[in-house]
């Protein structure tokens, strides 16, 4: 089955039976949107909470606020219905245990993602965020299930 | 002169060679420290130099999901950036057995992790101080952060920090190898574009 691999600060949309994956999320957050009726899925791999603080705004997929909207619009264009979209999110870890302020970026990415979802009125139906390890995620557009693989903590499906 | 570079093709051949030579000095000295630590000869390849879109850096690390020990330090002062070391499990085992006489122990134990941090700090410190001496600049290195995980997940914090203000970073990428390949790993450094301006200005002064 075809799998699209999405890099850092990038997004893609796929229709069933395509899988969407992104590898090695640390403090970044992977957000998937899914329309279960039309079986259209999308995934964006964001790095920072908001475009507002950024000096360089060339790549809107880098930020939670602009990246999620970009993903949503692209899905609607391909036939997804906004009111049916369901979100799942993963990542936002603090990779290094000796955490100080600047290391909390993972938490801030998760918080920003939730705010964006609330303002877009898209429900977050499942999440696996925080803690101190990396995650590889894969969205199955046939079922909408999100598989989360880690190096030492096993695999789970949400 | 003020250099505002966005892509590597804007570097002249001379600048490119000069930058590579400088990276060689830094990595060379770091390799020498490792050689002293493990009491064995260490070789490094000539570092590759790239002006890289930050979000594309995971692609050049070599296996985003590969499980490695990662040691990350911030470089700050007259130059700003990050130095990162990624070592496969077997190499960490070799280092532990040489330095700690630690055979078949838990590589994630506190003792082993702090030993790896210390090794990283020595290498990073040597790298930075050789650049300091060469350019007569004030450059420091932060305490190391270390963890064992997927390569892409380890480096993404440094990339996030870099990408707050920048699109491109100057990336030096090198591999080191101890005799018979018992220890091998990747070291790479990233500098922001302001640092690159500083470096190029120093190089011009040296040439004149």
């Amino acid at each position: 089955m075809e799998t699209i691999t999405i890099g850092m600060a990038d997004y893609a949309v796929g229709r069933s039976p395509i899988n969407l994956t992104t590898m090695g999320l640390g403090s970044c957050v992977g957000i998937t949107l899914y329309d279960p009726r039309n079986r259209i899925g999308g995934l964006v791999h964001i790095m920072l909470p908001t475009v507002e603080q950024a000096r360089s705004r060339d790549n809107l997929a880098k930020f939670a606020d602009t990246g999620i909207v970009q993903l949503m619009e692209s899905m609607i264009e391909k036939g997804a219905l906004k009111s049916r979209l369901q979100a799942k999110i993963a990542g936002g870890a603090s990779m290094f245990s000796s955490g100080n302020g600047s290391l909390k970026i993972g938490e801030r990415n998760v918080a920003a993602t939730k705010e964006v979802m609330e303002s877009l009125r898209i429900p977050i139906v499942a999440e696996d965020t925080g803690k101190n390890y990396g995650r590889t995620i894969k969205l199955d557009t046939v079922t909408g299930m999100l598989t989360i693989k880690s190096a030492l903590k096993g695999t789970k499906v949400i | 002169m003020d250099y505002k570079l966005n892509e590597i093709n804007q570097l002249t051949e001379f600048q490119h060679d000069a930058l590579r030579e400088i990276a060689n000095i830094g990595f060379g000295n770091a390799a020498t420290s490792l050689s002293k630590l493990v009491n064995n000869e260490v070789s490094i390849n000539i570092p590759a130099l790239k002006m890289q879109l930050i979000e594309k850096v995971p692609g050049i690390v070599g296996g985003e999901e590969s499980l490695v020990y990662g040691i990350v330090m911030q470089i700050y002062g007259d130059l700003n950036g990050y130095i990162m070391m990624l070592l496969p499990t077997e190499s960490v085992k070799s280092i532990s057995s040489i330095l700690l006489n630690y055979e078949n122990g838990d590589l994630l134990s506190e003792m082993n992790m702090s030993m790896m941090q210390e090794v990283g700090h020595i290498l990073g410190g040597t790298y930075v101080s050789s650049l300091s001496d060469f350019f007569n600049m004030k450059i420091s290195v932060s305490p190391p952060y270390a963890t064992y995980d997927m390569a892409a997940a380890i480096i993404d914090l440094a990339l996030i920090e870099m990408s707050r203000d920048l699109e491109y970073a100057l990336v030096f990428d090198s591999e080191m190898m101890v005799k018979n390949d018992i220890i091998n790993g990747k070291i790479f450094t990233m500098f922001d574009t302001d640092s690159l301006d500083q470096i190029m200005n120093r190089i011009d002064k040296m040439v004149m």
Side-chain angles (χ1 to χ4, degrees):
Chain A
M1 200 166 309
E2 193 194 337
T3 297
I4 301 174
T5 301
I6 292 128
M8 191 176 222
D10 202 1
Y11 74 96
V13 175
R15 194 179 283 275
S16 171
I18 285 170
N19 290 318
L20 301 168
T21 185
T22 194
M23 293 183 282
L25 291 164
S27 300
C28 291
V29 175
I31 298 122
T32 65
L33 298 179
Y34 185 62
D35 175 343
R37 179 88 58 85
N38 291 342
R39 295 197 173 142
I40 296 173
L43 194 166
V44 61
H45 178 149
I46 63 105
M47 299 174 78
L48 286 161
T50 160
V51 71
E52 268 167 42
Q53 306 143 352
R55 206 162 68 179
S56 143
R57 300 176 175 195
D58 275 16
N59 182 2
L60 294 177
K62 206 186 261 189
F63 311 97
D65 52 359
T66 47
I68 295 168
V69 171
Q70 207 172 39
L71 176 68
M72 182 191 76
E73 284 171 355
S74 170
M75 288 178 68
I76 291 170
E77 211 172 279
K78 292 190 166 69
L81 197 66
K82 191 191 167 197
S83 59
R84 277 201 300 256
L85 291 179
Q86 298 176 343
K88 292 182 181 179
I89 65 176
S94 298
M95 294 298 295
F96 305 102
S97 46
S98 40
N100 62 32
S102 77
L103 297 179
K104 297 287 179 212
I105 183 70
E107 275 174 33
R108 293 209 298 277
N109 277 334
V110 172
T113 297
K114 289 181 176 172
E115 266 173 47
V116 174
M117 289 307 173
E118 204 175 309
S119 73
L120 294 173
R121 297 176 194 282
I122 298 175
I124 296 175
V125 295
E127 68 170 293
D128 179 37
T129 57
K131 309 227 171 69
N132 64 346
Y133 55 87
R135 297 167 171 93
T136 284
I137 62 172
K138 184 156 103 179
L139 178 71
D140 179 342
T141 57
V142 178
T143 61
M145 295 313 281
L146 187 66
T147 302
I148 297 155
K149 208 170 77 185
S150 67
L152 302 172
K153 310 281 174 184
T155 297
K156 61 172 123 172
V157 180
I158 62 172
Chain B
M1 215 186 294
D2 194 23
Y3 293 93
K4 287 292 171 211
L5 298 168
N6 275 329
E7 287 170 50
I8 195 68
N9 58 25
Q10 290 175 260
L11 285 174
T12 66
E13 204 182 322
F14 168 75
Q15 289 169 331
H16 186 268
D17 290 350
L19 284 172
R20 217 156 80 153
E21 193 46 45
I22 291 155
N24 235 343
I25 295 170
F27 287 126
N29 284 322
T32 307
S33 335
L34 180 63
S35 157
K36 284 179 188 153
L37 274 176
V38 299
N39 200 18
N40 220 321
E41 205 175 294
V42 177
S43 65
I44 57 160
N45 61 3
I46 303 208
L49 162 64
K50 271 199 192 105
M51 203 62 178
Q52 186 77 41
L53 201 58
I54 291 170
E55 49 263 43
K56 299 289 180 208
V57 172
I60 63 171
V61 172
E64 286 141 302
E65 283 190 292
S66 55
L67 201 50
V68 292
Y69 274 79
I71 303 148
V72 180
M73 286 157 283
Q74 198 177 353
I75 299 169
Y76 62 96
D78 290 339
L79 299 181
N80 288 290
Y82 285 87
I83 179 162
M84 296 178 270
M85 258 167 272
L86 301 178
L87 300 160
T89 315
E90 286 306 314
S91 297
V92 175
K93 272 187 193 158
S94 307
I95 295 176
S96 328
S97 74
I98 295 168
L99 296 184
L100 297 177
N101 249 337
Y102 199 57
E103 304 281 354
N104 302 318
D106 176 13
L107 296 180
L108 298 174
S109 69
E110 207 171 305
M111 179 173 71
N112 202 56
M113 289 305 280
S114 61
M115 176 210 66
M116 288 308 298
Q117 284 191 7
E118 200 41 54
V119 170
H121 206 202
I122 291 168
L123 268 58
T126 315
Y127 178 89
V128 164
S129 74
S130 60
L131 290 195
S132 285
D133 292 347
F134 188 75
F135 289 124
N136 192 23
M137 281 178 174
K138 228 177 122 92
I139 319 165
S140 308
V141 65
S142 76
Y145 299 115
T147 190
Y148 181 61
D149 211 305
M150 301 179 208
I154 293 171
I155 65 168
D156 86 348
L157 184 66
L159 298 179
I160 288 171
E161 293 298 333
M162 293 285 283
S163 76
R164 281 179 194 281
D165 296 320
L166 299 166
E167 281 174 70
Y168 287 86
L170 178 68
V171 182
F172 294 105
D173 167 12
S174 183
E175 270 173 68
M176 55 185 190
M177 207 172 87
V178 174
K179 218 188 258 173
N180 302 328
D181 212 10
I182 55 162
I183 301 167
N184 64 71
K186 263 180 168 297
I187 304 190
F188 58 111
T189 52
M190 290 192 300
F191 290 106
D192 63 21
T193 34
D194 290 340
S195 302
L196 181 58
D197 294 348
Q198 300 275 349
I199 294 173
M200 296 321 297
N201 286 326
R202 292 289 166 123
I203 291 173
D204 273 5
K205 278 183 194 143
M206 285 173 186
V207 172
M208 279 192 292

